């Protein structure tokens, strides 16, 4: 006899899959080249007592009745704006964790993430200096005010961030990397800290450079 929690999990999964099945089936009737989905859906459950445990499979079913006002029809023949890609963030902390993995395991994971034959992630955000997902607070120009940026250095990133980015690019040479700053160096801000504060107007051009 299933527990109440198991019953709710299975009921929710069945409802969601039936809903999706109905919408895809509607789209298939409108677009001739939409492939027919596989009849059986493998189900795996992770909860307090199970980890990736296989549950009873679900099956696609044909929609019944006319589409309602809430029906979502996916029409792959109708295209709107282009999408740059899908991916994640390779933060300081993420790159550090990846760098600590044994090379075979790291290579396998990067392949699963970025290979066109696997997940095929194609866009990643990287951080310019420290972010809220960094092991420590740092910038590319630490110390006293340096308007000429004579101390500018990416030495911090050379240790483990750049090697991970290069490894990801080896798996997917088309990987698009988007650099995003979290904070100017502390000396550019009115509280002399990368945490909080506001950029001093006199350093706006320096920060832009």
């Amino acid at each position: 006899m299933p527990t109440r929690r198991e019953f709710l999990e299975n009921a929710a999964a069945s409802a969601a899959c039936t809903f999706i099945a109905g919408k895809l089936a509607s789209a298939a009737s409108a677009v001739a080249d939409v492939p027919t989905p596989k009849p059986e859906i493998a189900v795996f459950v992770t909860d307090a007592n199970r980890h990736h445990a296989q549950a009873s499979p679900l099956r696609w079913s044909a929609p019944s009745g006319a589409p309602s006002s809430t029906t979502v029809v996916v029409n792959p023949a109708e295209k709107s704006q282009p999408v740059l890609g899908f991916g994640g963030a390779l933060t300081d902390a993420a790159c550090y964790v990846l760098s600590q993995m044994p090379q075979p395991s790291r290579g396998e994971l990067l392949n699963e993430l970025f290979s066109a034959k696997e997940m095929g992630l194609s866009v990643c955000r990287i951080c310019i200096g420290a972010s809220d997902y960094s092991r420590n607070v740092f910038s590319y120009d630490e110390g006293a005010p340096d308007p000429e940026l004579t101390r500018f250095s990416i030495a911090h990133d050379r240790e483990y961030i750049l090697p991970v980015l290069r490894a990801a690019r080896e798996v997917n040479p088309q990987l698009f990397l988007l650099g995003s700053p979290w904070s100017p160096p502390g000396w550019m801000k009115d509280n002399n800290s990368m945490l909080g504060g506001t950029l001093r107007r006199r350093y706006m051009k320096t920060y832009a450079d």
Side-chain angles (χ1 to χ4, degrees), residues 125-131 138-140 152 157 178-184 194 207:
R125 175 177 55 79
I126 60 176
C127 302
I128 300 176
S131 73
F138 69 93
S139 73
Y140 293 156
F152 183 87
D157 292 4
L178 172 66
S180 176
W182 251 244
S183 170
M194 291 183 66
Y207 189 45

Coordinates of all heavy atoms in Angstrom, one line a residue, residues 125-131 138-140 152 157 178-184 194 207:
R125 N 27.8 32.3 -18.0 CA 28.2 33.6 -17.5 C 29.4 33.4 -16.6 O 29.5 32.4 -15.8 CB 27.0 34.1 -16.6 CG 27.4 35.4 -15.9 CD 26.2 36.0 -15.1 NE 25.7 35.0 -14.2 CZ 26.2 34.7 -13.0 NH1 27.3 35.3 -12.6 NH2 25.6 33.8 -12.2
I126 N 30.4 34.2 -16.8 CA 31.6 34.2 -15.9 C 31.6 35.5 -15.2 O 31.0 36.5 -15.6 CB 32.8 34.0 -16.7 CG1 33.0 35.0 -17.8 CG2 32.8 32.6 -17.4 CD1 34.3 34.9 -18.6
C127 N 32.4 35.6 -14.1 CA 32.4 36.8 -13.2 C 33.7 37.6 -13.5 O 34.8 37.0 -13.6 CB 32.3 36.4 -11.8 SG 30.8 35.4 -11.4
I128 N 33.6 38.9 -13.5 CA 34.7 39.8 -13.6 C 35.0 40.2 -12.2 O 34.4 41.1 -11.6 CB 34.4 41.0 -14.5 CG1 34.1 40.5 -15.9 CG2 35.6 41.9 -14.5 CD1 33.6 41.6 -16.9
G129 N 36.0 39.5 -11.6 CA 36.2 39.7 -10.1 C 35.3 38.8 -9.3 O 34.7 37.9 -9.8
A130 N 35.2 39.1 -8.0 CA 34.4 38.3 -7.1 C 32.9 38.5 -7.3 O 32.5 39.6 -7.7 CB 34.8 38.6 -5.7
S131 N 32.2 37.5 -7.0 CA 30.7 37.6 -6.9 C 30.2 37.0 -5.6 O 31.1 36.7 -4.8 CB 30.1 36.9 -8.1 OG 30.1 35.5 -7.9
F138 N 37.6 39.6 -4.0 CA 38.8 40.0 -4.7 C 38.3 40.8 -5.9 O 37.2 40.7 -6.4 CB 39.6 38.8 -5.1 CG 39.0 38.0 -6.2 CD1 39.2 38.2 -7.5 CD2 38.1 36.9 -5.9 CE1 38.6 37.4 -8.5 CE2 37.5 36.2 -6.8 CZ 37.7 36.4 -8.2
S139 N 39.3 41.6 -6.4 CA 39.1 42.3 -7.6 C 40.3 42.2 -8.5 O 41.3 41.5 -8.0 CB 38.8 43.8 -7.4 OG 40.0 44.5 -7.0
Y140 N 40.4 42.8 -9.6 CA 41.5 42.7 -10.5 C 42.5 43.8 -10.2 O 43.5 44.0 -10.9 CB 41.1 42.7 -12.0 CG 40.4 41.5 -12.4 CD1 39.5 41.5 -13.5 CD2 40.5 40.3 -11.7 CE1 38.8 40.4 -13.9 CE2 39.8 39.1 -12.1 CZ 39.0 39.2 -13.2 OH 38.3 38.1 -13.6
F152 N 46.5 46.3 -12.4 CA 45.4 45.4 -13.0 C 46.0 44.1 -13.3 O 47.1 43.9 -14.0 CB 44.8 46.0 -14.2 CG 43.7 45.2 -14.8 CD1 42.4 45.3 -14.4 CD2 44.0 44.2 -15.7 CE1 41.4 44.6 -14.9 CE2 42.9 43.4 -16.3 CZ 41.6 43.6 -15.8
D157 N 42.6 34.5 -11.6 CA 41.8 33.6 -12.4 C 42.7 32.5 -13.1 O 42.2 31.5 -13.6 CB 41.1 34.4 -13.5 CG 40.0 35.3 -13.0 OD1 39.8 35.3 -11.7 OD2 39.3 36.0 -13.8
L178 N 29.9 35.0 -21.3 CA 29.4 36.3 -21.0 C 30.0 36.8 -19.7 O 29.7 36.2 -18.6 CB 27.9 36.4 -20.9 CG 27.3 37.7 -20.4 CD1 27.5 38.8 -21.5 CD2 25.8 37.5 -20.2
G179 N 30.9 37.8 -19.7 CA 31.5 38.3 -18.5 C 30.6 39.4 -17.8 O 30.1 40.3 -18.5
S180 N 30.5 39.2 -16.5 CA 29.6 40.1 -15.8 C 30.2 40.5 -14.5 O 30.6 39.7 -13.6 CB 28.3 39.3 -15.5 OG 27.4 40.1 -14.7
P181 N 30.4 41.8 -14.2 CA 31.0 42.3 -13.0 C 30.0 42.4 -11.9 O 28.8 42.7 -12.1 CB 31.6 43.7 -13.3 CG 30.6 44.2 -14.4 CD 30.2 42.9 -15.2
W182 N 30.4 42.1 -10.7 CA 29.5 42.2 -9.5 C 29.7 43.6 -8.8 O 28.8 44.2 -8.3 CB 29.7 41.1 -8.5 CG 28.6 40.1 -8.5 CD1 27.8 39.8 -7.4 CD2 28.1 39.3 -9.6 NE1 26.8 38.9 -7.8 CE2 27.0 38.5 -9.1 CE3 28.5 39.1 -10.9 CZ2 26.3 37.6 -9.8 CZ3 27.8 38.2 -11.7 CH2 26.7 37.5 -11.1
S183 N 31.0 43.9 -8.7 CA 31.3 45.2 -7.9 C 32.7 45.7 -8.4 O 33.6 45.0 -8.7 CB 31.4 44.8 -6.4 OG 32.0 46.0 -5.7
P184 N 32.8 47.1 -8.4 CA 34.1 47.7 -8.7 C 35.0 47.3 -7.5 O 34.6 46.9 -6.4 CB 33.8 49.2 -8.7 CG 32.3 49.3 -8.8 CD 31.7 48.1 -8.2
M194 N 34.1 46.2 -1.4 CA 33.3 45.7 -2.5 C 31.9 45.2 -2.1 O 31.1 44.9 -2.9 CB 34.1 44.5 -3.1 CG 35.3 44.8 -3.9 SD 36.2 43.4 -4.6 CE 35.0 42.9 -5.9
Y207 N 36.5 52.7 -14.2 CA 35.8 51.4 -14.1 C 35.4 51.0 -15.5 O 35.5 49.8 -15.8 CB 34.6 51.6 -13.2 CG 33.9 50.2 -12.8 CD1 34.7 49.1 -12.5 CD2 32.5 50.1 -12.9 CE1 34.1 47.9 -12.2 CE2 31.9 48.9 -12.5 CZ 32.7 47.8 -12.2 OH 32.1 46.6 -11.9

